[in-house]
Structure formats: structure tokens, C-alpha cells
Amino acid sequence: MAEIAYILLCHKDPEAIILQAKRLTAAGDYMAIHFDASASPAHFAEIGAALKGNPNVVFSKKRINCGWGAWSLVQATLYAVEAAEKAFPRATHFYMLSGDCMPIKSAVYAHQFLDNTDIDYIESFDYFESDWIKTGMKEERLIYRHYFNERTQKWLFYQSFNLQRKLGLTRDIPSDIQVQIGSQWWCLRRRTIEAILKFTKERKDVMRFFRTTWIPDETFFQTLVRHLVPEVEIEARTLTFLMFSEYGMPVTFYNDHYDMLVSQDFLFARKVSPEAEELKLRLGKLYASGNADFPISSEGRSLFKFLTGRGRKGRRFAPRFWEAEATMGRNRELLIVACKKWHVAKRLVDGIRRSSDFPVIEYLFNEENTPLPDLGGIQSTIGKRTRHRRALVRMLFDYYETDKMVICLDSSNLDLIQDFYADRSKTKLLEINCDFSGDYLVGHAIRVGLAGESPSEETINSLMPTIQQDLVYESDAIRDANFPMHFRILQKNSPAKNALPLAEFLDATPEDALRLAEIDHLFSD
């Protein structure tokens, strides 16, 4: 049976550290703690006094000041690992944690999970070939020597770096290692830890190299594991669930994230807010429970991306300054059909196309393959169409030599609707309000990437409130905008009742509008 030695680096919040240590060791596991030497001595004394009688807790023999991006983080980890390896001979796995981490599975589940496969879990991707580093320094992290801390000694850091670059003072990477990069939150088997500790004593050249690299906690263990362990015994992933915002900052979890967290295919989560007392209490009880059955959905990252992405689709979008003066033409009339169910809108506008003499263009801002004429490249991608939306529509008016045109938009495209209404041209909006069955909502979740191809019932149940609320929000947002000449047809209405707003929207006769409202299976899925 697996027994885990947790490696905890921390520098604050002594009460949380004490609780975490008691919680994890109560299940029979172990913990080695390195408390930052620059942190409060009173806090360290408090932690030591509270855990003094716990035989499953050990402190690193040496404590050092730790700095972000510096070698000190790796050295502190090595001190804690050495203490754990010596103090806990029964430990089969060593799991790297921070004070912001919390278990999202039970100890029983974690032990069974680690027993199932004899492998190391550590993100480790080729430093130069992978795209793990998105921006900033890459090769420069390694080939120059970084003696100063970029956060606390910024001027010295960049003066030293610029001087080395000016003088060409580069260095070679040790020839027999292939530098890897990945998350610092790993779980390694005992024999891997023993091999790493032996390597650190034998290969002083490699140790000297990494001591002056920048952000070595993302490369040191990752590189050594790949150097020392056969590839078939490594899974390049972390067992700690973490996400980053679009600004590169760690996403923080709060009380209402419990259900989402425990359904992820991970053992721990980072980082949990210090204020999320209810969440920490529930997760603490979960770890001590004997529960070994957890339905896994793993939609956490896609759900977060979907929800935060809503801002880019109309909730905090502002027109770009170069679009502000672009106009489609004062005497032109743009008719917008907004509908979440694209097939319903397409049926309606196909009827409009057959019964009128003005052009109809389907979801040109939502579907890449919408048929469009060649307009010099502005139509080539959805990104270009959206950035230059007024210019694109103006060119379509010119191409078709018309002053009246129908386009379809997804009902989430509130920003586009607002921008077109802000133009000097005349704009009308027809909103098609559809009913949404459970099967449709599941299909929608799959289409937008919230769920996999065959989501479990638990996944569906957890996602339904989010999806339903999002659809309600879209419709409410359109109505709250108070657009002039905003017409609505509803699935629940009779064709005769829907014909009235259709006639006003299209300036059509009542008879023509009724024929459109009576299109066979207009609202069918």
C-alpha cells in the first residue's frame, strides 16, 4: 500500500499549515516541512510547538530564505526531501505541496491511485521544442548566469543580464542532459527520489549550472527525472489541479468550487483561498473519509475557460477605436436575426431568401465556412471579420449592390449587435426565442467544449445549471439593452402570432409573413 511523504514549502499562515499537517498525517501519511527562514520566527515556533509530538512530521535540517524564480526554492525542496527520505523509510511516494494546496480526494483513493501504476508523475516537456513558455525569456534563462533575484533585485538582475549579453558571456548546457520544463507540483516514487539525491552529490557540474539558471523550480526536477528514469515510467502530468487566468495568474478556488474540484482527475488542488473556510473544512473531511468512488468529469478547465470567455463575447467588450468612425452607410438597412439554435434561424432566412430580392447571409461571425465573396482577405477568418465587422458588412452591401441585407448572429453576440446599432445605418433585430430540451443542452455542452463526447450523468447534472443560466442571461441581456426595432418570435406562439413581428421586421405583407411563420418544422431539432 502506498504511503506518501508530503513535501511542504510554506512561509505564512501557521494555523493552516498545522491543520494541513494534522489532516494529512492522520491518514497514516508523512510530511516534511520547510518554513521560509525569512518568515516570522513566531509563526515557525507556533508550527513547531503544535506538531512537536507528531511522529509523522519532520522539519528540514536547514532553513533558507526563498525567493520567487530563484535556486533557493529548489534548495529548500531538496532540504525537505532529504529530511523526509531519512525520517520516513516506509514512504513509497514523495508529493510536492504548497500551503495553498488542499486534497480533493480521500486518502484511500489517493493510495489506491498510486498503487495502480508504478510510475512518476511530473510535467516534463522538452525545454526548447515545447511551447510551455509562452512569453519572455526562454534560452536566456539557461545560457546566462542569474545571480540576482528578479523580483527583489530587479535593477541588478537586468544589469547583470544585459552586461553578459553585451559581452557574449554565454555558457553551455551540460552535454549529457536534455533540459525539460513543467509544473513544480510533482509526485515521485521513492527510488526516483533516492536517485535524484545521489545525483546531486555526484554531479557537481549540473548543480552549479542549475544554481544560476532562472526559475529552476520549473526545470531542475523535471530534467533530472527524465535523465534518471525510463520514459515508460513517467507520466508527464501533475496530480495537482491548477489553472491560470488569461493574465497568467493562478486561479483561486472558493467555497462554491467544491463539486467541481472533487470531480477532477487529480488528487490535490491549488490554490485554495485562505478565506474559503467552508471549502477547506469539507475537503479536509473528504480526505479523512473512506470514500474511494469519485465520478470523474474533468471539465474544470473547459468550464472556467467558457465562463471567463463570456467577457470576450459581449459582457465587457468595447468597440475598437478604429471601428468607431467606420459606417455601413446612412441609407442602408441591416436586418439581424439572432438565434441560439442556428438551424432554426437558417430555416427562417432560407424562406426569406426565396421570398425576397435582398441578400441573406448566415452566421458569418460564427461559422468559418459561411459562403462569402472574396473581399480582399477581410472575409478569410472569423477573427478578421469580427475585428472589421462594420467594414465587412459595408463591403457586402457594396458587393451585392443593395441597401438592405439580412445576417444571422448567435444570441451571445451582444457586442456585435450593439456595435451595429451604434452605426448610422438603420438596424433591426429579430430575436428567435426557442425552447431547449435536455438533449439539446447536452449537445450544446459538447459543441462548446464544456463536456466530452460521452459525458457521464454526473457531469451533465453538474453542467446543466451553468448552461441554462447562460442561455437565460443571453436573452435577458438582449432585452435589457432596449434596442429600438427589436422584434421577437417565440416557439410557443402560434404562426399567426409570430407573423405580426415578422411582418414589421421585414416590411412584408401579412400574407408573406404568415407563410414564413408556417415553414414546416421551423422550430424542430
Side-chain angles (χ1 to χ4, degrees):
M1 175 67 79
E3 296 186 27
I4 307 169
Y6 292 105
I7 309 302
L8 178 63
L9 266 57
C10 47
H11 65 281
K12 61 179 181 178
D13 203 354
E15 291 182 3
I17 294 168
I18 293 166
L19 286 173
Q20 189 178 46
K22 289 181 176 179
R23 180 187 306 119
L24 298 180
T25 58
D29 291 314
Y30 313 99
M31 178 173 287
I33 299 174
H34 179 279
F35 193 76
D36 197 320
S38 64
S40 167
H43 286 171
F44 181 61
E46 181 181 350
I47 296 168
L51 301 176
K52 184 176 181 180
N54 191 328
N56 286 14
V57 175
V58 68
F59 292 87
S60 55
K61 297 293 187 222
K62 296 181 181 179
R63 294 172 57 218
I64 58 174
N65 297 344
C66 295
W68 185 91
W71 169 255
S72 55
L73 287 176
V74 177
Q75 186 63 70
T77 304
L78 287 172
Y79 285 150
V81 167
E82 289 169 353
E85 190 270 340
K86 184 177 180 180
F88 309 125
R90 294 173 58 87
T92 60
H93 293 78
F94 294 72
Y95 196 120
M96 183 73 181
L97 288 178
S98 77
D100 297 320
C101 296
M102 285 292 295
I104 56 175
K105 298 291 187 295
S106 67
V108 171
Y109 181 97
H111 295 157
Q112 291 179 356
F113 182 93
L114 295 175
D115 280 335
N116 286 339
T117 50
D118 186 22
I119 57 177
D120 295 309
Y121 294 91
I122 182 169
E123 276 193 355
S124 50
F125 307 105
D126 187 278
Y127 187 91
F128 295 100
E129 297 299 326
S130 72
D131 63 348
W132 206 85
I133 298 175
K134 303 298 183 184
T135 59
M137 292 184 183
K138 188 168 185 177
E139 183 182 27
E140 295 86 350
R141 290 192 190 185
L142 306 178
I143 64 173
Y144 296 108
R145 296 166 179 84
H146 301 279
Y147 298 105
F148 305 100
N149 188 292
E150 195 269 346
R151 291 287 177 91
T152 60
Q153 301 167 299
K154 189 177 291 288
W155 186 85
L156 288 172
F157 178 91
Y158 286 105
Q159 286 295 312
S160 171
F161 166 67
N162 290 329
L163 181 62
Q164 291 179 71
R165 185 168 57 177
K166 182 178 181 180
L167 298 176
L169 299 178
T170 60
R171 59 174 172 179
D172 294 329
I173 298 169
S175 59
D176 64 331
I177 68 169
Q178 184 176 6
V179 178
Q180 305 284 308
I181 191 166
S183 168
Q184 64 269 53
W185 312 112
W186 40 254
C187 178
L188 304 177
R189 297 165 297 171
R190 184 177 194 91
R191 63 175 174 268
T192 302
I193 288 294
E194 291 171 345
I196 289 173
L197 294 178
K198 181 181 178 183
F199 184 94
T200 62
K201 293 177 174 61
E202 294 176 349
R203 291 297 302 271
K204 301 301 181 183
D205 59 323
V206 175
M207 299 299 285
R208 284 194 299 271
F209 169 77
F210 276 107
R211 280 193 182 96
T212 51
T213 59
W214 188 37
I215 320 182
D217 55 318
E218 294 179 350
T219 55
F220 178 78
F221 288 97
Q222 297 78 357
T223 301
L224 266 59
V225 170
R226 284 285 178 185
H227 184 77
L228 297 168
V229 178
E231 184 175 359
V232 294
E233 298 180 21
I234 302 171
E235 184 164 344
R237 59 164 291 198
T238 174
L239 296 181
T240 299
F241 179 63
L242 66 160
M243 298 189 296
F244 291 91
S245 72
E246 61 195 45
Y247 305 107
M249 300 300 292
V251 172
T252 300
F253 301 115
Y254 296 94
N255 292 332
D256 56 350
H257 285 118
Y258 177 85
D259 291 327
M260 184 269 284
L261 290 176
V262 298
S263 68
Q264 304 310 304
D265 190 18
F266 296 86
L267 303 184
F268 280 76
R270 182 181 187 274
K271 60 192 229 176
V272 174
S273 169
E275 288 77 36
E277 297 293 343
E278 180 185 346
L279 176 62
K280 290 190 285 187
L281 180 63
R282 295 180 71 185
L283 292 176
K285 290 180 178 179
L286 178 69
Y287 189 76
S289 74
N291 185 11
D293 183 22
F294 290 86
I296 303 299
S297 68
S298 295
E299 268 81 23
R301 289 195 174 97
S302 59
L303 180 60
F304 175 79
K305 182 178 180 181
F306 175 78
L307 292 176
T308 56
R310 307 309 293 162
R312 296 193 176 278
K313 298 178 182 179
R315 296 191 187 175
R316 64 171 186 264
F317 187 87
R320 291 162 173 81
F321 71 90
W322 63 82
E323 295 282 1
E325 293 304 317
T327 180
M328 296 177 290
R330 188 181 298 276
N331 298 320
R332 285 169 168 168
E333 185 174 345
L334 181 66
L335 307 181
I336 301 173
V337 176
C339 185
K340 175 56 68 176
K341 290 187 176 181
W342 297 359
H343 57 280
V344 175
K346 288 179 180 181
R347 288 188 193 121
L348 179 65
V349 299
D350 184 59
I352 295 173
R353 182 186 291 113
R354 287 186 276 105
S355 62
S356 64
D357 58 357
F358 46 84
V360 173
I361 303 174
E362 295 174 358
Y363 286 86
L364 72 165
F365 296 105
N366 303 103
E367 288 188 302
E368 200 84 56
N369 60 354
T370 297
L372 291 171
D374 186 351
L375 301 173
I378 194 174
Q379 83 295 337
S380 59
T381 67
I382 288 179
K384 285 187 177 181
R385 298 174 202 168
T386 304
R387 283 195 298 274
H388 309 293
R389 48 198 175 274
R390 290 195 200 178
L392 172 69
V393 173
R394 182 179 68 247
M395 294 171 75
L396 288 170
F397 273 119
D398 292 341
Y399 178 86
Y400 289 111
E401 298 180 348
T402 184
D403 287 330
K404 189 173 185 177
M405 183 167 61
V406 174
I407 66 170
C408 295
L409 293 178
D410 189 280
S411 54
S412 65
N413 295 137
L414 180 63
D415 61 308
L416 295 177
I417 299 172
Q418 288 173 322
D419 197 45
F420 288 133
Y421 262 98
D423 192 77
R424 298 190 186 109
S425 62
K426 181 180 180 181
T427 303
K428 290 183 177 181
L429 173 64
L430 176 69
E431 181 188 356
I432 305 178
N433 192 284
C434 301
D435 298 334
F436 299 102
S437 65
D439 289 341
Y440 175 84
L441 294 176
V442 172
H444 177 68
I446 295 172
R447 285 190 294 274
V448 301
L450 276 175
E453 287 299 322
S454 301
S456 66
E457 185 176 349
E458 290 81 6
T459 298
I460 292 171
N461 291 338
S462 66
L463 292 178
M464 280 303 168
T466 298
I467 300 168
Q468 290 170 332
Q469 181 59 35
D470 199 65
L471 296 178
V472 170
Y473 176 90
E474 291 176 359
S475 181
D476 286 348
I478 291 176
R479 296 176 71 180
D480 291 343
N482 294 317
F483 294 118
M485 292 180 289
H486 172 197
F487 307 97
R488 299 175 75 224
I489 64 174
L490 285 71
Q491 182 170 347
K492 65 181 181 181
N493 287 351
S494 66
K497 191 170 183 179
N498 281 334
L500 298 176
L502 269 172
E504 290 189 72
F505 175 70
L506 295 168
D507 293 324
T509 65
E511 294 77 18
D512 288 341
L514 182 60
R515 278 193 289 272
L516 290 173
E518 290 178 334
I519 290 175
D520 290 341
H521 311 294
L522 176 60
F523 290 98
S524 298
D525 289 335

